[in-house]
Amino acid sequence: MRNMALHPGLSFLLPFTNWLPNIDKRDLRADLIAALTGAIVVLPQGVAFATIAGMPPEYGLYAGMVPAIIAALFGSSKHLVSGPTTAASVVLFSALSVYAAPGSPDYVILALTLTFMVGVFELALGLARMGALVNFISHSVVIGFTAGAATLIAAKQLKHFFGIEMDSGGHLHEIIFNFSQQLQQINPWVTGVALVTLFSGIAFKRWFPRMPYMIAAMLTGSILSVLLDTWFGHATTQIPNVGALPATLPPLSAPHLSLQHVKDLAPTALAVTLFALTEAVSIGRSLAARGGYRIDGNQEFIGQGLSNIAGAFFSGYVATGSFNRSGLNYQSGAKTPLASIFAALILMVIVLLVAPYAAYLPKAAMAGILFLVAWGLIDFKEISHILKSSKRETAVLMVTMLSAMFLELEFAIFAGVLLSLVLYLERVSKPNIVTRVPDHRLYKHAFSSDPDLPECKQLKIIRIDGSLFFGSVNHLQERFDRIRTNHPDKKHLAIIASGINFVDLQGSHALVEEAKRRQDSGGKLYLINVKEKLWDSLEKSGDLDVIGDRNIFQSKNAALHAIYHKLNKSVCETCENHIFQECRNKN
């Protein structure tokens, strides 16, 4: 099949035509081996994530079937594996539990509707070529949201971990308060199974890293539960089980797009869309960098959108890129997206064979597994790095994390993104402005910012590093005012513009106003080392004529030579600084 070519026009609508014809036997073998490992791992994860989402356990498995196949066919990554994830599951539970009881038919309908809406949003963004949108969600937002969501995961599993009846809905402080009121009802048998599952998972992960630690821990907890029921009787232990899963392929389903449902779910759908796309594209880019290839962010948007639209009709809830399964897919030697497709097909076979045995899976074991999942999601190293390196990023991290814990999860994403943008705008609204002086100690009298160097009595030279737009105009004008107030004798102002990449209408007007003020006081405004974009912007706005093209220079030497001849020579005669080469030559 190597080197077969299909019509190039199919590459956008059918991106799999770019790689499918080039697969050989070695690729097939490598993908099949990687798929077998991935299918085994997704079995406990799917059930665990569905439990987090408040969905029937089998829906977590369904979300790893058809959506994974569609995402692999229509995405651009060779290694990205889509399916249910922790973050999407927590957001889904947080948003939908307000409208319906988790696990109920109404709840499932809402989940399918939300999944469809997320898919439509993702597809629309992809078709609109908005792949760069994920760049507005900073790394600190992702780290903070994940840490907050992980804390909620553990909190919501307290009732299953300790075997007590309590309301696990609401925010973190509400869950902790409810738990504190039920301490006397803790079931030691359930807690024992949960602890054994937890510690066995830690042990398998540490000392037997090649063994799927989640499956090993679940088997350990399940065996212990069966033994305790056999020895002491279920009436004594009262260890609840997940129950048998239906041994069927994903049944057909459909979202319910009523006006009320769309209105209620739109904010959550948008928040999930932003986070899901960020997760998928970030994972895809990371693995692509390791694999030596590039992904198309817009194509990933399309693939994720189609996968969720399909999932809504095949009993799957919100799916996105999974870091654990994608990383495992890469490490297992996958060569093409066929590995993800094979994994989904193998998962279907596994479900048909082992689903009935979930009747022996205790909820306490699932809680122990989810405690492990929650702990693994908190990136303590990166959190520590953010706390030490940047106060701004620390603020974004803390706001996002605390919002996830104590407010609505979807609001946490918006709050983190909004704060990131506000801090960014605050930063770029204050371009760096420094004084520059020719330094005779440097080669060709290069400019220097040494404050001890003398300045010209008639000319102020500054360098602006940053864009001149409506947000930075006030800062720029305040600096101009201070220069005129502090240096009234310096009638001339030269701006080194090599650091100005962009100027909008208000920015160019600010330059024009300063040029007029300088001219009225008997001086001039000069621009040095003007970039092409700045020149074009000034020319289109007509402001270039006001400043005067003779006052714009593309080199330092030409600028200083011309400006020197415009200075008041009577002032020059009494000046002893001689900072320009022309001053030195004359003397």
Side-chain angles (χ1 to χ4, degrees), residues 239-255:
I239 303 174
N241 294 325
V242 171
L245 300 178
T248 61
L249 297 178
L252 294 177
S253 58

Side-chain angles (χ1 to χ4, degrees), residues 193 197 216-231 360-362 365:
V193 171
T197 304
M218 288 175 63
L219 289 175
T220 303
S222 299
I223 292 172
L224 176 61
S225 176
V226 171
L227 292 176
L228 291 176
D229 281 347
T230 302
W231 293 337
Y360 300 101
L361 177 61

Side-chain angles (χ1 to χ4, degrees), residues 77 79 280-293 295 323 330:
S77 173
H79 299 102
V281 174
S282 298
I283 295 168
R285 286 176 178 171
S286 174
L287 294 177
R290 295 185 189 180
Y293 63 95
I295 68 168
F323 180 79
Y330 175 82

Side-chain angles (χ1 to χ4, degrees), residues 24-38:
D24 58 20
K25 292 182 179 179
R26 288 181 297 177
D27 294 336
L28 283 174
R29 183 175 180 275
D31 288 343
L32 193 58
I33 294 174
L36 183 60
T37 305

